[in-house]
Amino acid sequence: MAIIIDKEKLLFHLQGSNTSYVMQVIRDGYLAHLYWGKKIQNYRGSNKIIFMDRGFSPNPAGADRAFSLDTIPQEYPSFGNSDFRIPAYQLQLENGSTVTDFRYKEHRVYQGKPKLKGLPSTYAEDDGEVETLEIILEDPLIEVKVVLSYSLYQKWDVITRSVRFDNEGQQQLKLLRALSASVDFRDDEYELITLYGAHNNEKNIARRKILPGIQMVDSCRGASSPHQAPFMALVREGTDEDQGEVYAFNLVYSGNFTAQTQVDSYRNTRVTMGINPFDFTWQLEPEESFQTPEVVMVYTENGLGGMSRIYHDLYRNRLCRGPFRDKERPILINNWEATYFDFDADKIEQLAKEAQSVGVELFVLDDGWFGKRDDDNTSLGDWVVDRRKLPDGLPDLANRIRNLGMEFGLWFEPEMVSIDSDLYRKHPDWCIHVPDRPYTLGRNQLMLDLSRKEVCEYIVKSVSDILSDVPITYVKWDMNRHMTDVGSAALPPERQRETAHRYILGLYSIMEELTSKFPHVLFESCSSGGGRFDAGMLYYMPQTWTSDNTDAICRLKIQWGTSLVYPPITMGAHVSTVPNHQVGRITPLETRGYVAMAGNLGYELDLTTLTVEEKEVVKKQIALYKEMRSLIQFGNFYRIINPFDENEAAWCFVSEDQTEMAASYFKVLSQPAAAIKTLKFKGLNPDYVYRNIETGELFGGDELMHVGITLTRVKQDFLGLFWRFVKEDII
């Protein structure tokens, strides 16, 4: 049994393959956090909580001066009842007060993992692979229960947490804060790792020592955003890719979030994560419930690489869903950087013919095919084909491409509306807005109000009409602005601060309906690239366009940072033209290919402008990727040289059975008097002998990992090198 409960002591021990998580109901029914870390066989209380009188730490009624919630490690802390630290939740009562007192009521344990109402989450294919503990806290004065849910994936050493608020009383309550997880650590010897960035510069890594006070990352943009990611990890000093303790938190949510650490006066550390309480309230009527999103928590002593491989394996197998979860993803070409808005059917067909000749499997028609969309000022919301560009409609174009032996995909941006559109002229109140206030425009567009059922129904119908009429097997779902002027014409004044969360719930309902209705369509999420690359979207769309920045050297960092949490199979990675359209850099076509091969390979350029020699390189890239596609998309990923720290980068992919490896090395700038470099691979079986497919040389797995291979010295900027090794059966 993975969850061990001492019913007399009310002690709960969640025991994974390599980790333990322990909590206990202590005096007066408060739930205390005792331990999270390396697996222990039994917990007998060696790290007892020491109760002592601390100045300015008050005591709950009836407790002695040594007992204060301000100094106790808790599981789901409140504010106003002697704890001054960041609370996990806050309820406002009808009398205006925000003091509550939730204490242990009961618990239950069961096999399996329930779905979260209206929200994405990890799941179980078999009830035996997950065990769930629910601890119910109650405030009898207001007749409200808080259900703390802990699901343990024993195989993956993962604990997921979420919370449900059940109003069983007669008061109309307001949730002011409803976070999904809180963990109290009893020391502050940690460094904090988060992911930050911007459009075209996503998933940079920030690492710093935590300090007394609050360190926070968040989004109040209506999306998880490229600026901060809903991820946080505490690591011990010296933790690197291969060793050291990591405590990681990732929120399965696509909207406004907060992730915080707080170090108190006594060097205790509290981590909290969930929906951002900024500009959020939720009316909780009698007999109603509120469900928070899920936090996926990972502990490992095997460094950041060990953490990443846990997330990768879990998300590939128990977050992503549908028939494409276990399928090799197609190699595609997107016409955007080749044509932008300037195309017609013949031009697209010519691009497709070139793509087919080099082995591309899927052609994606990007923005500009609908309404009167000649630029980004018009027509969003009018999902009707532009007959000026495509006089015979989308079915004709799709069939032209399919007759070449390729699949056809299409770009949408369904969550948005242009002011210059038939939809806006008919329904101006359907956008997110505040009455009598001027609009704030982003990319010359407004956001549709997905908190409204009729808006969600319109989007489902508009997209469904196209997907039902046209032989489409791929959709790129874009979202190119963030939420401002936050308000809904359909909500009463007291519910206006629910708009942002209701928007996300509406989005999830749309995605659930469309992906269920069209299971043969591979949906790829996009938000000007990685602006909404999060676990919530992966539940519906098993891959994401990683960044609008297609420069190979920039992508070294972007894809490295993204891989901290998300597996390569979820990353769209394309080869584009040079000079690169985002940064103007000129890089070798070979290097661009090796970088893009570390995700779902695609192309974003005009193949008709390439030389014969360049087309031959592309053809060989595609043939190589097809040979090793399963390894890249379903193998284990190992980061070797960090481009954030060095003038170079390296990584490798190893098959589950360790019989095959593909590895890449990149040098950014050539240096004078450069040292001779030896590269050591990771993840191989030390007892196997491996053959270099290109040279035929044989090396032991132990030799490749511990001795390494000498790199050829090449005087060239933006160099890319590539190797493939396979297990050799020695008789």
Side-chain angles (χ1 to χ4, degrees):
M1 194 169 187
I3 298 178
I4 304 163
I5 300 176
D6 185 327
K7 294 183 180 179
E8 290 187 4
K9 296 180 180 178
L10 286 178
L11 188 141
F12 308 92
H13 183 177
L14 285 67
Q15 193 176 71
S17 299
N18 299 289
T19 187
S20 286
Y21 190 99
V22 184
M23 51 195 155
Q24 184 178 18
V25 179
I26 58 174
R27 69 167 77 172
D28 301 328
Y30 292 108
L31 184 61
H33 176 78
L34 299 178
Y35 174 74
W36 181 27
K38 187 174 175 61
K39 180 181 178 179
I40 56 175
Q41 297 302 317
N42 294 287
Y43 179 84
R44 296 186 174 94
S46 62
N47 66 336
K48 292 180 175 64
I49 297 174
I50 301 299
F51 301 106
M52 60 184 298
D53 186 4
R54 296 281 197 182
F56 294 96
S57 292
N59 327 108
D64 59 54
R65 287 184 56 166
F67 185 88
S68 175
L69 299 179
D70 195 39
T71 60
I72 294 171
Q74 297 174 68
E75 275 298 310
Y76 202 66
S78 65
F79 181 81
N81 190 19
S82 82
D83 189 348
F84 293 101
R85 294 169 291 176
I86 296 172
Y89 70 94
Q90 196 170 27
L91 276 167
Q92 185 175 28
L93 313 186
E94 285 184 342
N95 64 10
S97 70
T98 56
V99 176
T100 53
D101 190 9
F102 284 89
R103 307 193 193 189
Y104 172 80
K105 170 72 173 177
E106 58 187 336
H107 70 270
R108 49 181 173 262
V109 180
Y110 51 89
Q111 295 295 122
K113 185 174 185 292
K115 289 185 176 182
L116 301 187
K117 184 178 179 181
L119 290 166
S121 65
T122 57
Y123 58 89
E125 284 198 335
D126 182 287
D127 283 350
E129 67 189 22
V130 183
E131 196 168 0
T132 297
L133 166 67
E134 291 182 349
I135 298 178
I136 296 92
L137 310 179
E138 183 182 39
D139 185 336
L141 181 66
I142 57 175
E143 298 181 90
V144 175
K145 290 180 179 177
V146 173
V147 181
L148 308 181
S149 179
Y150 302 77
S151 291
L152 174 65
Y153 288 87
Q154 191 172 26
K155 170 187 172 183
W156 283 285
D157 274 327
V158 165
I159 295 169
T160 68
R161 290 184 60 177
S162 64
V163 180
R164 191 181 74 245
F165 292 82
D166 296 333
N167 184 359
E168 298 179 353
Q170 298 304 308
Q171 287 199 46
Q172 185 183 77
L173 305 173
K174 275 188 180 180
L175 269 173
L176 306 180
R177 174 188 293 258
L179 302 185
S180 298
S182 179
V183 177
D184 283 352
F185 298 86
R186 299 199 212 175
D187 70 307
D188 65 347
E189 297 300 318
Y190 301 99
E191 293 173 348
L192 174 66
I193 294 178
T194 58
L195 299 171
Y196 74 96
H199 176 229
N200 283 333
N201 187 27
E202 296 89 345
K203 301 297 188 292
N204 292 276
I205 299 173
R207 181 168 178 168
R208 64 275 199 194
K209 178 78 172 67
I210 61 172
L211 300 169
I214 296 171
Q215 290 110 89
M216 178 180 75
V217 294
D218 74 339
S219 173
C220 56
R221 293 170 168 268
S224 52
S225 91
H227 302 84
Q228 299 287 351
F231 164 80
M232 172 179 286
L234 294 185
V235 301
R236 295 296 185 183
E237 184 179 0
T239 294
D240 58 22
E241 277 294 316
D242 305 307
Q243 60 82 36
E245 287 192 305
V246 181
Y247 301 84
F249 305 79
N250 188 220
L251 185 65
V252 186
Y253 188 65
S254 306
N256 295 337
F257 75 91
T258 185
Q260 303 177 72
T261 62
Q262 181 181 24
V263 178
D264 70 14
S265 303
Y266 308 109
R267 301 183 63 180
N268 302 301
T269 302
R270 174 170 290 175
V271 173
T272 53
M273 178 175 277
I275 294 173
N276 198 336
F278 176 80
D279 201 41
F280 166 85
T281 60
W282 193 271
Q283 292 282 120
L284 195 60
E285 304 285 347
E287 307 304 318
E288 286 188 350
S289 297
F290 181 84
Q291 175 66 57
T292 73
E294 178 174 89
V295 172
V296 180
M297 297 171 27
V298 169
Y299 166 81
T300 181
E301 60 176 346
N302 297 318
L304 294 171
M307 173 204 74
S308 296
R309 285 183 289 280
I310 292 172
Y311 274 120
H312 292 183
D313 199 15
L314 180 75
Y315 285 178
R316 274 199 314 259
N317 294 287
R318 296 297 180 269
L319 176 68
C320 295
R321 303 179 300 160
F324 288 97
R325 186 192 74 177
D326 302 321
K327 283 184 179 180
E328 293 182 355
R329 308 292 168 76
I331 299 168
L332 65 84
I333 189 165
N334 185 299
N335 72 295
W336 180 241
E337 289 193 13
T339 68
Y340 294 103
F341 294 103
D342 183 19
F343 62 83
D344 58 26
D346 292 338
K347 188 172 185 178
I348 294 299
E349 184 179 15
Q350 184 58 40
L351 291 173
K353 287 179 179 178
E354 293 286 348
Q356 186 273 336
S357 71
V358 295
V360 172
E361 299 160 323
L362 167 68
F363 188 96
V364 180
L365 179 63
D366 210 281
D367 195 357
W369 58 267
F370 55 92
K372 298 176 182 177
R373 185 80 164 170
D374 296 325
D375 53 39
D376 61 9
N377 293 313
T378 181
S379 299
L380 287 174
D382 298 342
W383 300 107
V384 179
V385 70
D386 183 352
R387 295 281 175 170
R388 298 171 306 157
K389 297 177 183 178
L390 305 174
D392 296 313
L394 280 171
D396 169 71
L397 179 61
N399 286 324
R400 290 200 212 181
I401 290 170
R402 289 170 64 86
N403 288 339
L404 295 171
M406 301 171 66
E407 297 296 309
F408 180 65
L410 195 62
W411 178 95
F412 286 91
E413 193 173 1
E415 301 168 58
M416 303 296 158
V417 62
S418 302
I419 292 178
D420 182 9
S421 67
D422 292 338
L423 179 64
Y424 181 80
R425 284 185 281 271
K426 185 176 181 181
H427 297 290
D429 62 324
W430 275 17
C431 65
I432 296 286
H433 71 286
V434 176
D436 303 320
R437 294 285 183 186
Y439 291 127
T440 304
L441 291 175
R443 201 173 176 258
N444 301 306
Q445 60 199 48
L446 301 171
M447 296 181 70
L448 288 172
D449 183 359
L450 304 193
S451 73
R452 302 178 66 155
K453 184 179 179 181
E454 63 271 32
V455 175
C456 294
E457 290 173 345
Y458 173 83
I459 292 174
V460 169
K461 183 179 186 307
S462 298
V463 176
S464 295
D465 286 348
I466 298 291
L467 297 184
S468 298
D469 188 48
V470 185
I472 290 170
T473 57
Y474 167 100
V475 164
K476 181 178 179 181
W477 185 288
D478 214 341
M479 183 264 202
N480 285 313
R481 68 153 291 178
H482 288 156
M483 190 179 293
T484 57
D485 315 312
V486 183
S488 171
L491 293 175
E494 65 273 14
R495 290 191 178 273
Q496 285 299 313
R497 286 163 62 101
E498 299 176 8
T499 303
H501 181 56
R502 287 185 180 275
Y503 179 97
I504 295 297
L505 294 178
L507 173 63
Y508 289 154
S509 72
I510 290 168
M511 292 313 310
E512 182 68 35
E513 186 167 352
L514 286 174
T515 55
S516 299
K517 190 174 181 180
F518 300 99
H520 67 285
V521 175
L522 172 60
F523 285 84
E524 179 176 279
S525 173
C526 177
S527 179
S528 292
R532 202 164 58 184
F533 201 139
D534 60 64
M537 294 307 293
L538 287 179
Y539 181 77
Y540 304 100
M541 306 184 184
Q543 63 188 57
T544 300
W545 178 226
T546 315
S547 176
D548 278 350
N549 187 345
T550 53
D551 173 67
I553 302 307
C554 291
R555 275 296 188 111
L556 294 175
K557 291 182 178 180
I558 292 169
Q559 291 175 203
W560 180 286
T562 303
S563 76
L564 252 65
V565 188
Y566 305 109
I569 193 173
T570 66
M571 292 188 229
H574 294 181
V575 176
S576 62
T577 191
V578 292
N580 175 263
H581 286 198
Q582 288 77 49
V583 298
R585 196 178 348 252
I586 298 175
T587 52
L589 183 54
E590 290 82 0
T591 299
R592 283 175 270 156
Y594 295 148
V595 174
M597 286 183 198
N600 289 319
L601 177 63
Y603 290 82
E604 194 126 353
L605 45 74
D606 187 349
L607 287 170
T608 65
T609 64
L610 299 188
T611 66
V612 173
E613 292 77 15
E614 288 172 328
K615 288 179 186 176
E616 189 61 29
V617 171
V618 170
K619 192 172 184 178
K620 289 180 179 179
Q621 288 175 348
I622 291 172
L624 173 61
Y625 189 77
K626 288 178 179 178
E627 287 181 16
M628 62 179 190
R629 174 163 38 190
S630 179
L631 169 64
I632 299 297
Q633 298 183 357
F634 300 104
N636 292 316
F637 182 62
Y638 293 86
R639 296 180 294 265
I640 302 174
I641 301 177
N642 188 342
F644 289 97
D645 299 332
E646 306 288 346
N647 181 47
E648 53 194 348
W651 51 59
C652 68
F653 295 84
V654 180
S655 62
E656 196 70 37
D657 62 5
Q658 298 179 298
T659 61
E660 184 181 1
M661 179 188 74
S664 297
Y665 167 84
F666 306 94
K667 180 177 65 181
V668 178
L669 295 178
S670 187
Q671 301 290 338
I676 301 299
K677 184 78 178 183
T678 302
L679 182 64
K680 299 177 182 180
F681 300 117
K682 297 180 181 181
L684 298 172
N685 189 316
D687 299 323
Y688 288 176
V689 173
Y690 293 89
R691 175 171 53 87
N692 184 323
I693 289 179
E694 183 178 4
T695 67
E697 296 173 289
L698 299 178
F699 303 102
D702 53 354
E703 185 179 6
L704 290 171
M705 290 191 294
H706 306 313
V707 180
I709 62 169
T710 303
L711 300 181
T712 302
R713 188 174 177 214
V714 180
K715 297 178 181 179
Q716 175 189 312
D717 292 340
F718 317 131
L719 173 69
L721 301 176
F722 183 81
W723 302 265
R724 286 180 71 201
F725 287 89
V726 294
K727 179 178 180 287
E728 185 79 359
D729 292 323
I730 303 297
I731 300 176

